[in-house]
Amino acid sequence: MIQDRSPGRNWAGNYTYRARKLHRPSTIEQLQEVIANAPRVRVLGSRHSFNDIADSSELITLEATPMDVVVDHATDTVSFNAALKYGELVHSLNEEGVALHNLASLPHISVAGAVATATHGSGEANGNLATAVAGLELVTSGGEIIEVSRGEPDFDGFVVGLGALGAVTRITLDVEPAYEVRQRVFEGLSWEALFEHFDEIISSGYSVSIFTRWGETIDQVWVKSRVTDEPEQVESDLFGATAAAVDRHPILGLDASSCTPQLGRAGPWADRLPHFRMGFTPSSGEELQSEYLFPRRYAVEAIEAVRNLAAEIRPLLQVSEIRTVAADRLWMSMNYGQDTVGIHFTWKPEREAVGGMLVQLETALVPFEARPHWGKLFNANAATIAPLYERMSDFIRLVERLDPRGAFRNSWLEAHVLGES
Ligand SMILES: Cc1cc2nc3c(=O)[nH]c(=O)nc-3n(C[C@H](O)[C@H](O)[C@H](O)COP(=O)(O)OP(=O)(O)OC[C@H]3O[C@@H](n4cnc5c(N)ncnc54)[C@H](O)[C@@H]3O)c2cc1C
């Protein structure tokens, strides 16, 4: 088994892992041995989180274990090694003519890491990516291999596990027949039109993303629609916003060649649902991210509250994205129990100034019961977060039951979930 000295930094380069060892087991037996011998350990995914959620004194990557993708057409599921990235999984799904219900903004993220933090795409009827999980296999800190399936006791607590329950080794996801999607971008929507027609705009496609820099108008609305047998309605206007005549990058002015095709060209689901293509540097690369998700009934008020901070936000911001996510029953999901709107911020890499901005934003969003995205930057501590999660105490009991020796605990979990820092 190979062991590196140090895992280095996360994707954005804003966080250097403190772990002194990165284990690369190639079998489950080796993984069990590493976990049994480690006082404190975590599994590292594709390192796309912006905070220390994945850190510990020792880390494990599962990239050396066999990927072993199995599509089961009888149950409409696919199961595979948890280290797989969505972009890699898609190849096997395409070969079998099946698809996932949704994807995040880029396909480079590991499935296990995305599921562990309730990563989401957009679409008012689309649950986050963790809602596709039909089953999980994990190795606990006691070395036991546990399998859980949807419908079994505590399953809803296992899925968005924040890396705290054990090493997830295999994941089973729901699949459906492959489908095609068209993507169109509309530019220059007015704030008045957004506030007056929020529901119609956000439901104008299967997956809709609103990109803004909190200026005079909203920069872009990306509308992704599933191709059906019905003749396509080509709209040149969306409540006063005009259809873009060329492909766009979410950050106006950046080269769109890293982005998935637009202009209404129909294409496979996995080439349209993410904003960025596999094989390209996603997003702008040099960035920090934060996101707050709140009940959809507060959409207009919460967006207005953030807009009131536009003068402070704009100098630090690359772009914001507003999306919707359907309610689910996963205990630690930001979308638990409520249809949700998320306001996302891609910041310039100015950690200190962004930290100050997050304090202001979190204060402004208190009335809207905003839950921070677990994998992005935020300030709220466990005492502030606990009342936002109805099943928090059940989750903490599950953590204690599965990991009584606290091997998978880390300082992030103590500060933001357990409240022991
Ligand atoms: C450019 C960019 C775009 C993004 N776009 C989106 C988006 O569209 N929507 C959105 O919601 N989020 C988005 N994110 C956030 C991202 O999806 C989350 O931070 C996600 O957790 C990253 O997954 P990862 O594999 O990199 O996990 P890591 O950051 O490596 O780890 C995250 C957590 O998962 C745990 N984990 C990973 N693998 C396992 C395993 N096998 N077993 C147990 N625990 C495990 C880790 O221990 C840790 O707790 C984006 C991030 C970036 C950098």
Side-chain angles (χ1 to χ4, degrees):
M1 177 180 21
I2 301 168
Q3 187 191 96
D4 298 344
R5 265 255 191 80
S6 160
R9 295 196 292 176
N10 66 346
W11 174 86
N14 70 305
Y15 183 78
T16 302
Y17 297 102
R18 291 186 299 267
R20 299 272 62 92
K21 286 180 188 165
L22 176 63
H23 302 276
R24 291 179 186 277
S26 51
T27 63
I28 295 295
E29 293 70 31
Q30 288 179 359
L31 172 66
Q32 286 171 301
E33 192 189 320
V34 169
I35 294 174
N37 291 324
R40 287 272 173 131
V41 69
R42 277 236 157 189
V43 182
L44 189 57
S46 52
R47 305 165 188 237
H48 282 84
S49 296
F50 290 83
N51 56 35
D52 55 345
I53 185 171
D55 209 357
S56 189
S57 50
E58 297 183 36
L59 288 174
I60 301 169
T61 170
L62 298 176
E63 283 171 0
T65 51
M67 292 300 152
D68 200 15
V69 183
V70 182
V71 173
D72 183 338
H73 291 281
T75 55
D76 287 329
T77 56
V78 58
S79 60
F80 51 89
N81 175 324
L84 210 64
K85 299 183 178 80
Y86 282 97
E88 297 162 345
L89 176 61
V90 158
H91 292 300
S92 307
L93 299 182
N94 285 344
E95 278 170 20
E96 297 282 338
V98 293
L100 303 176
H101 78 292
N102 210 352
L103 287 169
S105 66
L106 80 169
H108 307 66
I109 297 172
S110 87
V111 179
V115 164
T117 58
T119 286
H120 60 93
S122 189
E124 58 170 6
N126 296 328
N128 66 40
L129 304 189
T131 60
V133 175
L136 292 174
E137 177 190 275
L138 63 160
V139 175
T140 65
S141 62
E144 201 186 342
I145 300 176
I146 296 187
E147 285 182 37
V148 274
S149 300
R150 190 186 281 136
E152 290 176 6
D154 297 341
F155 174 78
D156 290 342
F158 272 90
V159 180
V160 181
L162 307 176
L165 303 173
V168 175
T169 46
R170 275 191 83 72
I171 298 185
T172 303
L173 297 181
D174 296 331
V175 293
E176 59 187 279
Y179 54 91
E180 291 206 319
V181 172
R182 294 179 203 277
Q183 177 165 233
R184 287 185 196 283
V185 173
F186 295 88
E187 302 179 283
L189 183 73
S190 72
W191 288 103
E192 294 70 32
L194 179 72
F195 293 146
E196 207 172 313
H197 301 286
F198 182 83
D199 285 338
E200 293 141 287
I201 291 168
I202 211 70
S203 62
S204 60
Y206 178 69
S207 164
V208 176
S209 289
I210 296 170
F211 289 100
T212 180
R213 289 170 299 170
W214 305 100
E216 288 299 303
T217 61
I218 290 149
D219 297 336
Q220 305 175 32
V221 183
W222 287 38
V223 180
K224 300 171 196 265
S225 309
R226 279 175 78 142
V227 175
T228 62
D229 293 336
E230 301 294 313
E232 195 206 355
Q233 302 257 336
V234 183
E235 309 288 355
S236 57
D237 174 276
L238 182 72
F239 296 97
T242 49
V246 292
D247 282 354
R248 290 289 187 208
H249 189 285
I251 303 175
L252 263 186
L254 290 195
D255 178 9
S257 57
S258 62
C259 298
T260 47
Q262 302 153 34
L263 304 173
R265 285 167 280 171
W269 63 284
D271 294 343
R272 297 292 183 278
L273 290 177
H275 306 323
F276 298 101
R277 302 178 194 225
M278 195 73 183
F280 279 77
T281 301
S283 208
S284 86
E286 296 275 305
E287 65 189 57
L288 301 171
Q289 295 187 8
S290 309
E291 187 171 21
Y292 299 95
L293 297 106
F294 43 82
R296 183 163 164 173
R297 63 180 180 279
Y298 296 134
V300 169
E301 281 172 276
I303 294 169
E304 279 179 326
V306 173
R307 196 169 163 233
N308 287 338
L309 296 172
E312 289 98 320
I313 291 171
R314 280 172 63 82
L316 296 171
L317 188 78
Q318 301 199 37
V319 74
S320 272
E321 181 176 6
I322 300 171
R323 288 178 279 187
T324 44
V325 192
D328 61 54
R329 302 306 299 168
L330 305 175
W331 299 353
M332 297 306 285
S333 158
M334 289 88 72
N335 320 107
Y336 176 86
Q338 59 204 18
D339 289 335
T340 304
V341 174
I343 305 184
H344 160 94
F345 302 84
T346 299
W347 304 107
K348 294 176 186 166
E350 296 176 23
R351 183 66 185 91
E352 210 168 303
V354 167
M357 191 67 242
L358 297 184
V359 176
Q360 282 195 64
L361 273 171
E362 288 177 25
T363 306
L365 290 172
V366 166
F368 312 113
E369 301 155 31
R371 297 168 178 165
H373 190 305
W374 297 118
K376 302 183 184 180
L377 294 174
F378 62 92
N379 287 321
N381 62 17
T384 309
I385 291 175
L388 301 171
Y389 285 87
E390 199 181 312
R391 304 301 297 266
M392 178 66 87
S393 50
D394 294 323
F395 181 72
I396 293 175
R397 272 195 289 277
L398 189 62
V399 169
E400 286 163 355
R401 176 161 74 78
L402 287 180
D403 183 21
R405 72 181 173 92
F408 287 95
R409 289 183 182 214
N410 64 5
S411 41
W412 181 92
L413 193 77
E414 281 159 6
H416 300 292
V417 177
L418 303 178
E420 292 169 9
S421 62

